[in-house]
Amino acid sequence: MIHTARPDQRSTPPTARRAARALRPALRSAGLLASLGVLVGTVLASLRFGSLPLSTATAIEAFTAFDGSTEHLIVRELRLPRTVIGLGVGAALAVAGVALQAVTRNPLASPEILGVNAGAAFAVVAAVHLLGIVSPSAYVWFAFAGAFVAMVVVFLIASAGRDGATPIKLALSGAVVTALLTSWISAILVLDERTLDQVRFWLAGSLVGRDLDAFAEIAPFLLVGLAIGGAMVRQFDTMSLGESLAAGLGQRTRAVRALTVLAVVLLAGAAVAAAGPIAFIGLAVPHAVRAVVGPSHGWLLPYAAIYGAVLLLVADVLGRIVARPSEIEVGIMTAIIGAPFLVHLVRSRRLSQL
Amino acid sequence: MTALRAGARRRTEPARLRTVRRAGPVRISFRYRPRVLVTGAFLTLVAAGLMAWTMSLGEIRIPLADVLTTSLGFGSGEHDFVVRTLRLPRTLAAFGVGVALATSGAIFQSLVGNPLVAPDIIGVTSGAGLVAVVLIVVFGTPAVVPVGAFLGALGATALLYLLTWRGGIAGYRLVLVGIAVHALLTALTTLVLVRFPIDLVSSAVLWLTGTLYATTWEQVGWLAIGLLALVPAALVLLPRLQLLELGNDTAAALGTRTQTARAGLLLVAASLAAVGVAAAGPVGFVALVVPHAARMLMGPLTSGVFVVTGLLGAVLVLGSDLIAQHAFSPVSLPVGVVTAAVGAPYFLFLLWRTNRGVS
């Protein structure tokens, strides 16, 4: 007998209250527009702030009236790539998190718990250790391959047995594979100080030193992942009612699970390849967004994509500001900003269950 | 099933109920099912065998008979130093750490009702990790680390409890706040690991992996005191845990002061994890997966299963340490590298077997 995840009966808020608390449709549409505004503001901030703060005008002129000055070069060569990558990575992680939480109905479900980050990290650490590669842009394909293999392995293990990849088996085999890969990573890092010294910055999750070319290679996967996720909005709604109810309503649950895993592999794999293992966004953003816009995935998905990107960019900008002229890795900052926020949401009881 | 029915009958006796409420349940159930008893006996034998075998191996090979006599105190004296000063404390610590982490995980998973919960995931272990890493990079020596790690784990638990408390502790809230606390503490640990010179970071990473290298008798003493206090406490609280598993309302209706019980269980589980982490660092995998394995082997958590869960954890850490020390000699690995490598295939086998049985 596997101990099944039972939704906690002790704190279930009544469904009616939850529905009343969610925003009404008109407000939700307006909110979406406002959120896009927030996103644009964040992008501008990301282009402006850094070890050399620039004015908004300079940041915009770098594209409209490029004059080759140092400021414009900084914007176009350094800040634009990390902003674009941050946008893609944040949105991808949050959407992957929404999809996984809908399908597994476990509040702990997130790409990192299904082994994506550990797979990517192991592939990169092994590549640095064995092949001696040095530049973070060379990590991209190793990271993607590692994430892909790890998630496929997790899914295959979980699919054993007649009932297929049930949420609980998916989550458990993900946790086990993650633990296994983490131990292999530790083995390498403990025995090889050079590799440790080189990869510890990448392992923290960072947008520094990535170029747009490397991101362009990953972008198609990201787009396909987003498209699959977006196309399955209704299925997510049904699945979050629970496995048996969804099946009773005519949902082909196995197919939906398999497609979800595919989407998550593409999204989270691309994200970790571009920016390193960034935890927490895929976990926290869906919870936060669900608390505000309610459980309908048609709204949840776009909101999550926007605020995933916003959280990542804000974290990156703050990381550049607080430690000027040096900077703090974005993977560290997302947790430092996001954790108190998540605690606040949980405490204010605005957090609806899945 | 009989045990369950007997328990139900007993709980309906009004006099007993009153005792439970007033005097607290200083009663430990000793109804063992044969399967639990057999598994427990088998694991005890395996643990003893692994301990003896580990102590006989090494640079100086010692015959098993000498290991037994020397460690029990009536040997020839020839191997006194190697066995009693070097190897016995390490193997005892491996046993104790396994018990501490596995039992801690078992309580946490039942308490929260989520199979993915372990002290490593809700921030208890990360508190220990952060304090330990800071101590290592600041003082450059792991001397004060065990105390710091212990306090760090308890500090993180206190933080977790305070942040979760809102007229009570609900399992769902505990998990999410725990994840936030874990993420924050881990991020701060990473910050330290990225900022400090590589030689200091190297030894911090070694500690974070979990190692039993150079365990002293003093550490074993603290571990033993911790376990002797906490395991009985857990057994005393276990009936409350079983009631809480029925749901808050049911438990309250049956006379449980749910918040007190939950706080007590949380404290015991966190202290068990803290004791284990203080002795060996955050050895991964044990707390998360051993309770599952025990459940697949023996069914839901009773006091018998609880004890055997501890034994299973001990066997995992003992076996892993044996491999870590001797399989790749002359290289000796930290035990935390091996627990998952050894445990994962076994766990996946169990998962596969259970699935086959169910479907």
Side-chain angles (χ1 to χ4, degrees):
Chain A
M1 271 307 289
I2 304 171
H3 189 60
T4 47
R6 80 186 127 86
D8 191 295
Q9 307 100 327
R10 297 156 201 154
S11 64
T12 314
T15 322
R17 245 186 26 224
R18 196 195 312 164
R21 221 187 272 130
L23 299 179
R24 263 168 292 143
L27 261 177
R28 281 189 228 169
S29 321
L32 203 56
L33 274 178
S35 303
L36 278 174
V38 173
L39 185 62
V40 172
T42 319
V43 168
L44 268 181
S46 173
L47 294 174
R48 280 187 54 195
F49 294 113
S51 52
L52 180 67
L54 303 169
S55 70
T56 313
T58 321
I60 295 174
E61 277 164 16
F63 301 101
T64 54
F66 181 60
D67 62 6
S69 65
T70 317
E71 284 83 359
H72 285 186
L73 276 174
I74 287 177
V75 171
R76 287 176 68 130
E77 299 300 319
L78 297 179
R79 294 192 190 158
L80 180 66
R82 67 190 297 171
T83 306
V84 172
I85 295 172
L87 278 175
V89 168
L93 288 175
V95 169
V98 169
L100 274 178
Q101 288 177 9
V103 170
T104 62
R105 299 188 77 228
N106 191 315
L108 295 191
S110 59
E112 58 263 32
I113 242 179
L114 293 196
V116 174
N117 284 354
F122 174 70
V124 166
V125 169
V128 171
H129 174 67
L130 296 173
L131 311 175
I133 57 171
V134 281
S135 103
S137 36
Y139 295 170
V140 168
W141 288 109
F142 290 103
F144 196 77
F148 183 76
V149 171
M151 261 208 84
V152 169
V153 167
V154 166
F155 188 68
L156 287 181
I157 292 173
S159 306
R162 199 179 295 162
D163 47 349
T166 56
I168 181 65
K169 279 155 64 187
L170 208 54
L172 264 181
S173 48
V176 171
V177 169
T178 299
L180 190 61
L181 290 169
T182 311
S183 80
W184 290 348
I185 295 170
S186 305
I188 296 177
L189 294 185
V190 163
L191 296 176
D192 180 0
E193 196 173 287
R194 181 191 60 85
T195 302
L196 171 64
D197 197 19
Q198 194 188 324
V199 297
R200 58 179 167 153
F201 302 98
W202 184 84
L203 284 176
S206 168
L207 299 175
V208 181
R210 315 293 200 267
D211 54 24
L212 277 180
D213 293 343
F215 184 67
E217 292 173 350
I218 294 297
F221 298 100
L222 227 157
L223 292 176
V224 173
L226 284 176
I228 298 179
M232 299 220 300
V233 165
R234 279 165 181 281
Q235 279 77 6
F236 291 152
D237 278 342
T238 321
M239 285 298 269
S240 53
L241 296 174
E243 197 75 21
S244 45
L245 198 50
L249 289 169
Q251 184 88 266
R252 276 176 298 173
T253 53
R254 275 162 167 257
V256 173
R257 281 196 301 243
L259 265 179
T260 307
V261 170
L262 177 65
V264 171
V265 167
L266 295 172
L267 289 170
V272 71
I278 294 179
F280 203 64
I281 288 194
L283 182 80
V285 170
H287 283 290
V289 170
R290 198 178 294 110
V292 180
V293 302
S296 159
H297 286 85
W299 292 105
L300 210 45
L301 233 43
Y303 268 102
I306 291 176
Y307 282 103
V310 167
L311 174 58
L312 197 76
L313 286 182
V314 167
D316 190 38
V317 171
L318 283 179
R320 280 180 251 166
I321 292 175
V322 291
R324 203 150 48 192
S326 168
E327 59 177 88
I328 293 178
E329 284 70 17
V330 65
I332 296 172
M333 289 306 292
T334 47
I336 291 178
I337 299 168
F341 182 61
L342 182 64
V343 169
H344 167 72
L345 272 176
V346 179
R347 283 186 58 80
S348 61
R349 297 197 188 205
R350 303 219 40 191
L351 211 65
S352 37
Q353 296 190 14
L354 300 170
Chain B
M1 227 25 234
T2 21
L4 195 74
R5 239 179 286 131
R9 204 182 308 133
R10 220 180 44 186
R11 260 185 238 118
T12 52
E13 281 176 44
R16 293 274 187 153
L17 253 185
R18 226 172 294 131
T19 347
V20 168
R21 228 178 9 232
R22 283 205 191 130
V26 191
R27 221 187 309 124
I28 299 172
S29 155
F30 284 106
R31 287 184 303 256
Y32 293 127
R33 284 172 299 134
R35 176 161 200 169
V36 177
L37 213 57
V38 170
T39 316
F42 175 70
L43 287 174
T44 312
L45 283 179
V46 173
L50 282 172
M51 291 173 89
W53 191 19
T54 309
M55 286 194 286
S56 78
L57 292 176
E59 238 165 81
I60 304 168
R61 297 226 164 189
I62 301 171
L64 273 178
D66 289 4
V67 166
L68 288 177
T69 49
T70 309
S71 53
L72 294 175
F74 45 87
S76 57
E78 183 193 348
H79 301 300
D80 262 11
F81 177 73
V82 174
V83 171
R84 300 185 54 160
T85 310
L86 299 181
R87 295 186 187 169
L88 191 55
R90 177 169 184 158
T91 192
L92 286 175
F95 184 92
V97 166
V99 172
L101 293 177
T103 49
S104 167
I107 300 178
F108 269 119
Q109 286 177 6
S110 290
L111 187 64
V112 180
N114 191 311
L116 292 184
V117 167
D120 336 8
I121 288 175
I122 56 171
V124 176
T125 316
S126 359
L130 176 60
V131 175
V133 166
V134 168
L135 287 176
I136 290 173
V137 296
V138 170
F139 293 109
T141 157
V144 280
V145 166
V147 184
F150 182 79
L151 295 177
L154 290 186
T157 313
L159 182 69
L160 173 65
Y161 189 81
L162 288 176
L163 288 176
T164 310
W165 180 268
R166 240 198 97 123
I169 296 288
Y172 190 83
R173 206 158 59 225
L174 187 78
V175 178
L176 286 172
V177 172
I179 287 177
V181 170
H182 168 76
L184 185 66
L185 295 173
T186 310
L188 294 175
T189 308
T190 312
L191 189 60
V192 174
L193 292 184
V194 176
R195 287 289 167 275
F196 279 81
I198 186 67
D199 50 327
L200 293 173
V201 167
S202 232
S203 54
V205 167
L206 178 61
W207 189 88
L208 281 177
T209 309
T211 172
L212 289 160
Y213 178 72
T215 311
T216 60
W217 272 111
E218 196 192 344
Q219 281 169 292
V220 175
W222 286 113
L223 188 60
I225 292 172
L227 285 177
L228 289 175
L230 291 167
V231 171
L235 285 173
V236 166
L237 284 172
L238 212 59
R240 294 290 170 90
L241 182 59
Q242 289 161 335
L243 286 176
L244 285 174
E245 280 194 309
L246 299 174
N248 224 8
D249 299 341
T250 319
L254 287 170
T256 317
R257 263 175 286 170
T258 54
Q259 289 313 329
T260 323
R262 206 166 276 156
L265 284 160
L266 192 66
L267 182 65
V268 169
S271 307
L272 278 168
V275 164
V277 173
V283 179
F285 200 76
V286 182
L288 176 68
V289 181
V290 169
H292 283 287
R295 211 177 287 123
M296 288 179 200
L297 287 171
M298 295 171 296
L301 196 65
T302 61
S303 46
V305 174
F306 183 76
V307 172
V308 181
T309 304
L311 284 174
L312 192 58
V315 166
L316 174 58
V317 177
L318 280 168
S320 303
D321 197 40
L322 179 69
I323 293 174
Q325 279 190 82
H326 304 302
F328 306 98
S329 75
V331 181
S332 159
L333 291 171
V335 64
V337 163
V338 184
T339 42
V342 172
Y346 173 67
F347 181 76
L348 294 175
F349 164 73
L350 274 183
L351 195 65
W352 172 77
R353 207 193 58 178
T354 315
N355 291 338
R356 206 189 42 176
V358 166
S359 58

